[in-house]
Amino acid sequence: MQMPFCSMLWDRSPAPPEDAITINGTVVVAKNFGLSAPGKSTTLRLFSGTQIDHGTRKGKLSTEAALRGGKKSKHGKTSTVTYHVTFVVEAEFGTPGAVAVKNGNRADQFFLRHVRLELAHDRSIHFECNSWVYPYKKTNSDRLFFINTSYLPSKTPEALLLLRDEELRSLRGNGRGERKDWERIYDYDYYNDLGNPDNPDHVRPVMGGTRMHPYPRRCRTGRALSKTDEVTETRKHVINLDFYIPPDERFSPGKLAEVLTLGVQAVTHFVVPEMKTMIQGNNFKSIELLTRDLYTKPSQPAADGEVMEQLKTSVPSKKTYKQVAKNVKDTPVKFPIPQVIQHDLEAWRSDEEFAREMLAGLNPVAIKRLQKFPPVSSGGKKSSITAEHVESQFADVTIEMAMRQNRLYILDHHDYLMPYLRRINTLGVCIYASRTLLFLKSDGTLKPVVIELSLPATDGGDGEISRIFLPASHGTDAHLWQLAKAHVSVNDSGYHQLISHWLFTHAAVEPFVIATKRQLSAMHPIHKLLEPHFKDTMQINTLARSILLNAGGILERTMYPGRYALEMSSAIYGDWRFTEQSLPNDLVRRGMASRDPAMPGGLSLHIEDYPYAVDGLDVWRAIDGWVRSYCAHFYHHDTDVEEDTELQAWWDDVRSVGHGDRQGDPACWLDLDSVDNLAETLSTLVWIASALHAAVNFGQYGYAGFPPNRPTRCRRFVPLPGSPEMTQLEADPDKFFLEMIPDRFTATLGLALIEVLSNHTSDEVYLGQRATSTWTDDGELLRLLDRFREELRRVEKRVTERNKDPRLNNRRGPVKVPYTLLFPDVAGTEKGLTGRGIPNSVSI
């Protein structure tokens, strides 16, 4: 049971003191779907922030005050109800520092937006709450909120010290028991909820806590356990909402309805293709018919009836269900035309576009500069690529010259895949490990010069069978080259979704969310800095585990690793380092840039027209400037960082528990022993949660919404010379290609997924924005945030100018899609499939 931190510690109805004075205030509550409003039985009390009650060692306490009135109001786009309240306090009460709220409802919680007090001499005090308050009958404790002034632990007013400590201990819980919906407890757990040991086909290893399967931790839910495996949690529904996450991490009712609408349509896409497959067959007949079938046919049914019935048993209220049903009815299922084919249906096939997307597509974080030729695997085996293969593709340049001039690059999907290929290829797919070498041309574009596709040796040993493919524009060799590029794209699609997107942003951030809530008080300045960058992350990750990552889920059905997806991502996590996740360090690690003090930001890019890096460095510098000025406002000396007890406990929680499987690598983490290291750490975290996630998420539909451009699995290998398959390829190359990439059902399901993921929801809060202007009462911080916003607006102008520059060939490419994934969109006006804008958090 959650420990009540301020219950039963005072007489709730003492007589008002003789020298009493009154403090008037307003209480604003969100108007929620299907929930009762707080009534007269809901009361509030004030704690003094300056005067101590020596009996409790906490701030002096006001008498209990009930809510009055209840007038409909509006705060931004949110419908609210505003109440009035009057507190009676003694004349020597001092300045309020906290407010305790008791929900007197019998059953329903309410969402408290803020409390505002009017003091003498035109002074006011604001409590920014934005939190669910559950009935006292369930929680046995009042809900405490502090004023929106930030204090380091050592600077906390004495009257608030014990309250601050009790609140944190309450949030940590005791690590035992099944979680109840109303409990605000943040604890860690392994990824033990993906499989179902009662179904032999759905048994999956637990991720995290072992050398074999290291993984970041997730939030512990404490739900009922499977009857056959005491460490495995179970799920019930297709669209599953029956899970615990702390109340403050849940979607707003409006966003929940919006996401459920998208989810229903995605699951409907899952059902409708099965019917189409039975009627029309499971293969697309041609590229033209694929395009017509997916994007221009009459709309499909709005939703499958069975899906809606299952949803009805899972949503938290009837009103939410009705809103989702209305949204679904008003928005029939139909795929929009993706950007990659809006201007030209054939441009995606070109070598230039294939290479350009490694710099400006949806996965621009995997390409590396080639630093050793021929490439060598981690086990020491040399690639079968020879100098003759490469040098035949460019004139008057040797490999040594090209490498010395930083002109050879590699997309390497070899080493991490080889140990899994035998198992993956038993799942009905045909997957290679690949290496692709690229040459930097004088016009700044990349030219793919050779592709190596490898399979494990057939004798069961550790040998490899490799084939080499060279660019060609005519005849059979051109068809083989197109197939080889498709196999590379399959590798890259899997790496993108499982590693670049899920592991390196979603999964990597969640332990920081948990540690922040467990160890940093809401009054702590670093808590206030990070809070907007954690919004909705825990809920979207829980949904992902329920629908996408679970055994038999959408990812296993659409991506080539299938049941081995999370296991493979675990192996890659074993080499993950937080210190390498900042953009400058990542670019240097991949050999895409070198340290150069003479250049802006101290970096020199080896490919000057690298849109992700160029725009990203602008955004990184803006984030880093904001974070450093914020830290300097509170930490004036390195010792201030070292002596911050909450901060050090937070960092220990992250390293030893949340990312505990990586604590043995000293290069993985910086020591928090200086202001500089703190700022570097926080800038990296903000970068991951905002810009990195935006770069690898919101371009998914624009590029992968056309399945031939980014296939997610292959059903056939590249044919061998003289084989019947080669005869089929030569007879009808497009038919062979379409029979190789995902079938109608898999492709449609994959599109449904990435359409959901690529959407900006209506309540998105973008980088440089805050949900409210009252998040702090510190005028200097508000000025620093304004300066950050102005810098982001300058970044927007530079991005727009670059996209108009005809000399920068990689900004638009043959498909004529401008690079806008790192356009900040400080105004935050565009919603839906915009392909632009950097939200604050990993929220979809």
Side-chain angles (χ1 to χ4, degrees):
M1 178 179 290
Q2 187 168 3
M3 179 181 64
F5 61 87
C6 62
S7 65
M8 308 305 290
L9 295 180
W10 57 76
D11 179 359
R12 287 199 170 270
S13 54
E18 293 182 5
D19 58 347
I21 60 173
T22 59
I23 298 176
N24 293 315
T26 53
V27 177
V28 176
V29 174
K31 190 176 180 182
N32 287 302
F33 288 16
L35 297 176
S36 300
K40 293 181 179 179
S41 57
T42 293
T43 58
L44 293 81
R45 303 191 89 180
L46 295 177
F47 282 98
S48 173
T50 55
Q51 299 298 317
I52 296 177
D53 180 331
H54 294 288
T56 64
R57 296 188 296 121
K58 302 172 184 176
K60 288 185 176 182
L61 199 59
S62 74
T63 57
E64 206 165 27
L67 298 180
R68 305 192 315 274
K71 185 178 180 181
K72 290 182 181 179
S73 51
K74 200 88 171 173
H75 286 76
K77 297 179 181 178
T78 305
S79 295
T80 55
V81 181
T82 299
Y83 298 87
H84 294 280
V85 64
T86 299
F87 298 94
V88 179
V89 301
E90 61 184 78
E92 302 302 319
F93 182 80
T95 303
V99 59
V101 183
K102 176 189 174 185
N103 180 351
N105 289 347
R106 288 180 175 274
D108 285 349
Q109 65 274 23
F110 59 83
F111 191 81
L112 180 60
R113 287 184 63 91
H114 69 254
V115 177
R116 188 174 186 84
L117 306 179
E118 303 301 330
L119 306 182
H121 310 298
D122 295 326
R123 289 181 58 214
S124 62
I125 289 182
H126 189 89
F127 297 87
E128 190 73 14
C129 305
N130 292 314
S131 182
W132 290 100
V133 181
Y134 276 77
Y136 184 86
K137 288 187 175 182
K138 293 181 177 180
T139 64
N140 291 319
S141 65
D142 292 355
R143 183 74 171 83
L144 189 72
F145 299 97
F146 296 105
I147 59 172
N148 62 345
T149 302
S150 297
Y151 296 107
L152 294 176
S154 61
K155 306 288 186 183
T156 307
E158 187 178 356
L160 301 178
L161 274 173
L162 191 55
L163 289 172
R164 180 173 183 151
D165 180 63
E166 287 180 350
E167 166 81 346
L168 281 175
R169 285 193 283 116
S170 172
L171 290 167
R172 289 195 285 269
N174 59 18
R176 298 191 298 271
E178 182 178 339
R179 297 287 180 260
K180 307 299 183 185
D181 286 343
W182 55 84
E183 292 182 320
R184 297 170 57 244
I185 296 178
Y186 294 81
D187 203 357
Y188 299 98
D189 208 344
Y190 306 124
Y191 278 71
N192 58 3
D193 58 345
L194 302 176
N196 179 5
D198 298 331
N199 180 344
D201 290 336
H202 287 175
V203 174
R204 300 291 182 269
V206 173
M207 294 293 124
T210 65
R211 284 190 175 183
M212 181 174 292
H213 298 306
Y215 223 65
R217 302 296 186 263
R218 65 173 179 92
C219 185
R220 175 172 175 251
T221 63
R223 281 300 193 207
L225 302 176
S226 163
K227 61 187 178 184
T228 61
D229 188 342
E230 63 180 4
V231 299
T232 302
E233 295 185 9
T234 58
R235 305 290 193 207
K236 291 195 241 179
H237 300 286
V238 174
I239 296 180
N240 182 40
L241 298 173
D242 184 30
F243 45 70
Y244 168 85
I245 59 172
D248 292 348
E249 307 307 320
R250 297 172 195 163
F251 290 159
S252 67
K255 178 166 181 175
L256 178 61
E258 201 171 338
V259 171
L260 284 179
T261 300
L262 293 169
V264 167
Q265 292 173 337
V267 175
T268 297
H269 274 309
F270 182 83
V271 175
V272 172
E274 288 190 306
M275 297 185 291
K276 279 195 170 186
T277 295
M278 290 188 290
I279 298 168
Q280 302 175 5
N282 206 19
N283 288 324
F284 296 107
K285 303 302 182 185
S286 69
I287 297 292
E288 291 75 15
L289 287 175
L290 176 152
T291 305
R292 189 172 68 194
D293 190 36
L294 290 179
Y295 314 116
T296 61
K297 280 199 168 187
S299 302
Q300 298 173 0
D304 178 69
E306 183 180 344
V307 174
M308 294 303 294
E309 281 301 310
Q310 289 200 26
L311 182 69
K312 187 183 292 185
T313 66
S314 185
V315 295
S317 75
K318 289 182 180 178
K319 194 164 183 180
T320 300
Y321 174 80
K322 289 179 179 177
Q323 182 64 45
V324 173
K326 181 181 184 301
N327 290 351
V328 169
K329 184 179 180 180
D330 294 344
T331 316
V333 176
K334 183 178 181 180
F335 291 124
I337 298 174
Q339 289 174 293
V340 74
I341 58 167
Q342 281 181 1
H343 296 283
D344 187 333
L345 187 56
E346 293 295 318
W348 64 274
R349 293 182 186 265
S350 69
D351 287 359
E352 182 182 341
E353 181 60 25
F354 172 71
R356 187 193 74 91
E357 290 183 21
M358 300 178 197
L359 303 175
L362 58 86
N363 191 34
V365 295
I367 188 172
K368 302 176 182 178
R369 181 165 54 88
L370 186 67
Q371 305 199 43
K372 190 168 187 177
F373 186 89
V376 179
S377 68
S378 55
K381 293 179 184 176
K382 290 185 178 180
S383 164
S384 58
I385 298 172
T386 66
E388 183 179 357
H389 292 137
V390 176
E391 291 177 348
S392 65
Q393 303 301 310
F394 42 79
D396 302 324
V397 180
T398 65
I399 286 175
E400 291 76 14
M401 291 170 61
M403 292 182 67
R404 193 165 55 248
Q405 296 168 4
N406 299 320
R407 298 179 71 181
L408 273 183
Y409 295 83
I410 183 170
L411 185 68
D412 194 342
H413 293 299
H414 180 275
D415 285 9
Y416 72 87
L417 256 179
M418 285 303 295
Y420 292 91
L421 278 186
R422 283 195 178 93
R423 285 178 285 170
I424 288 173
N425 284 333
T426 65
L427 302 177
V429 295
C430 300
I431 305 299
Y432 298 98
S434 66
R435 291 184 178 108
T436 305
L437 267 57
L438 306 105
F439 177 69
L440 181 62
K441 296 162 58 179
S442 57
D443 65 357
T445 62
L446 288 173
K447 170 184 170 61
V449 293
V450 62
I451 292 173
E452 177 189 51
L453 300 181
S454 302
L455 290 170
T458 54
D459 60 7
D462 62 355
E464 297 178 12
I465 301 171
S466 297
R467 296 179 65 187
I468 299 297
F469 299 89
L470 301 177
S473 55
H474 302 288
T476 301
D477 286 344
H479 305 325
L480 292 172
W481 176 245
Q482 197 70 30
L483 298 184
K485 288 195 297 181
H487 274 279
V488 172
S489 294
V490 167
N491 286 173
D492 200 57
S493 292
Y495 187 92
H496 161 260
Q497 197 64 271
L498 292 168
I499 310 304
S500 303
H501 182 209
W502 164 254
L503 177 62
F504 288 169
T505 64
H506 284 261
V509 167
E510 185 161 349
F512 289 93
V513 182
I514 302 168
T516 299
K517 296 303 177 76
R518 285 168 56 86
Q519 303 295 351
L520 296 179
S521 165
M523 286 192 288
H524 199 290
I526 303 307
H527 183 122
K528 286 187 181 293
L529 172 70
L530 294 177
E531 189 171 33
H533 302 291
F534 295 155
K535 180 179 183 291
D536 295 339
T537 297
M538 203 174 285
Q539 170 110 58
I540 200 66
N541 284 4
T542 308
L543 278 170
R545 296 198 307 275
S546 171
I547 300 171
L548 307 182
L549 301 166
N550 58 309
I554 294 178
L555 233 61
E556 287 196 359
R557 289 171 178 257
T558 58
M559 308 302 294
Y560 73 82
R563 63 183 297 147
Y564 303 107
L566 267 288
E567 192 176 336
M568 191 172 76
S569 72
S570 165
I572 292 172
Y573 175 69
D575 294 321
W576 177 87
R577 287 175 171 170
F578 182 77
T579 50
E580 295 175 347
Q581 304 310 303
S582 73
L583 180 58
N585 288 352
D586 172 61
L587 292 171
V588 171
R589 177 186 65 83
R590 291 189 286 121
M592 303 302 290
S594 297
R595 302 286 181 190
D596 185 349
M599 296 296 292
L603 279 187
S604 175
L605 290 173
H606 298 310
I607 301 178
E608 292 182 8
D609 185 12
Y610 182 1
Y612 164 74
V614 174
D615 295 356
L617 285 171
D618 276 354
V619 174
W620 166 265
R621 284 189 284 267
I623 291 172
D624 195 48
W626 152 243
V627 170
R628 288 183 184 280
S629 61
Y630 187 100
C631 290
H633 184 66
F634 292 97
Y635 298 95
H636 304 139
H637 308 285
D638 292 343
T639 53
D640 295 337
V641 174
E642 292 181 293
E643 294 171 0
D644 185 334
T645 53
E646 287 183 10
L647 186 69
Q648 295 300 329
W650 171 76
W651 197 225
D652 182 66
D653 227 35
V654 168
R655 293 184 299 176
S656 63
V657 188
H659 281 285
D661 295 343
R662 298 296 300 128
Q663 65 180 321
D665 181 357
C668 191
W669 310 99
L670 290 173
D671 291 327
L672 284 196
D673 56 4
S674 67
V675 180
D676 187 64
N677 280 1
L678 174 62
E680 174 78 9
T681 296
L682 297 175
S683 293
T684 300
L685 182 53
V686 172
W687 164 261
I688 295 170
S690 59
L692 178 59
H693 179 257
V696 299
N697 182 67
F698 293 105
Q700 291 192 74
Y701 192 81
Y703 286 102
F706 182 62
N709 186 52
R710 297 285 297 183
T712 57
R713 50 169 61 184
C714 278
R715 296 178 286 159
R716 305 182 77 166
F717 290 115
V718 179
L720 293 167
S723 66
E725 291 79 11
M726 183 66 82
T727 303
Q728 294 170 17
L729 173 66
E730 292 171 339
D732 193 337
D734 272 1
K735 183 176 184 231
F736 191 97
F737 178 84
L738 290 170
E739 290 176 351
M740 185 182 81
I741 65 173
D743 57 38
R744 179 194 304 275
F745 174 75
T746 305
T748 308
L749 180 58
L751 258 66
L753 167 63
I754 62 174
E755 185 185 20
V756 173
L757 296 178
S758 301
N759 260 278
H760 287 291
T761 56
S762 59
D763 69 345
E764 205 88 86
V765 181
Y766 290 86
L767 193 63
Q769 295 179 335
R770 290 278 172 150
T772 70
S773 60
T774 50
W775 64 277
T776 181
D777 61 4
D778 190 322
E780 177 60 21
L781 291 184
L782 294 174
R783 284 189 289 274
L784 292 174
L785 183 61
D786 284 341
R787 193 168 74 187
F788 179 37
R789 273 194 291 264
E790 285 304 312
E791 181 56 34
L792 290 174
R793 290 189 182 97
R794 286 190 283 271
V795 172
E796 291 177 352
K797 290 180 181 178
R798 291 196 289 272
V799 170
T800 301
E801 290 167 0
R802 290 175 190 133
N803 285 334
K804 293 178 180 177
D805 190 337
R807 298 168 299 175
L808 301 177
N809 296 303
N810 295 325
R811 300 295 305 193
R812 305 177 76 91
V815 295
K816 297 181 174 60
V817 178
Y819 189 74
T820 57
L821 292 172
L822 289 174
F823 181 93
D825 193 16
V826 178
T829 54
E830 297 186 60
K831 309 300 176 188
L833 291 171
T834 66
R836 56 193 270 158
I838 303 175
N840 271 321
S841 62
V842 180
S843 59
I844 192 70

